[in-house]
């Protein structure tokens, strides 16, 4: 979809992109842009940090695997 294409066109600053293994194994991993990392953690290089994502009724813990340049 459009969001996936948009994030994959951005330069990686830290970490890595999603891999086939992430999809195949259903890993709870996430990419953030630099502004998102700063807003959530107060710094940019947060690879390896964990955060709660999802709705209030179904939250999962996801591990940050990469930081991209800002999306906008």
């Amino acid at each position: 979809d459009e969001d996936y294409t948009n994030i994959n066109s951005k330069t990686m600053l830290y970490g890595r992109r999603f891999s086939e293994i992430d999809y195949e194994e259903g890993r709870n991993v996430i990419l953030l842009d630099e502004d998102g990392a700063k807003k959530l953690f107060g710094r940019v290089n947060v690879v390896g940090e964990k955060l709660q994502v999802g709705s209030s009724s179904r939250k999962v813990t996801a591990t940050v695997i990469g930081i991209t340049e800002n999306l906008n």
Side-chain angles (χ1 to χ4, degrees):
D1 79 3
E2 186 177 319
D3 290 335
Y4 180 81
T5 302
N6 188 22
I7 201 162
N8 271 325
S9 69
K10 297 299 178 180
T11 300
M12 292 299 300
L13 301 177
Y14 301 99
R16 63 177 178 85
R17 297 187 185 283
F18 296 114
S19 71
E20 279 297 316
I21 294 171
D22 294 330
Y23 293 113
E24 290 169 1
E25 294 185 359
R27 293 178 179 171
N28 295 328
V29 293
I30 192 168
L31 294 176
L32 298 174
D33 70 2
E34 36 186 337
D35 282 348
K38 286 179 192 174
K39 182 176 180 181
L40 292 167
F41 295 98
R43 63 188 195 284
V44 175
N45 187 0
V46 295
V47 172
E49 295 287 347
K50 300 190 182 311
L51 65 134
Q52 295 285 311
V53 295
S55 66
S56 58
S57 63
R58 186 177 181 277
K59 288 194 177 199
V60 296
T61 301
T63 303
V64 178
I65 60 167
I67 305 299
T68 68
E69 66 183 342
N70 286 326
L71 297 180
N72 294 326

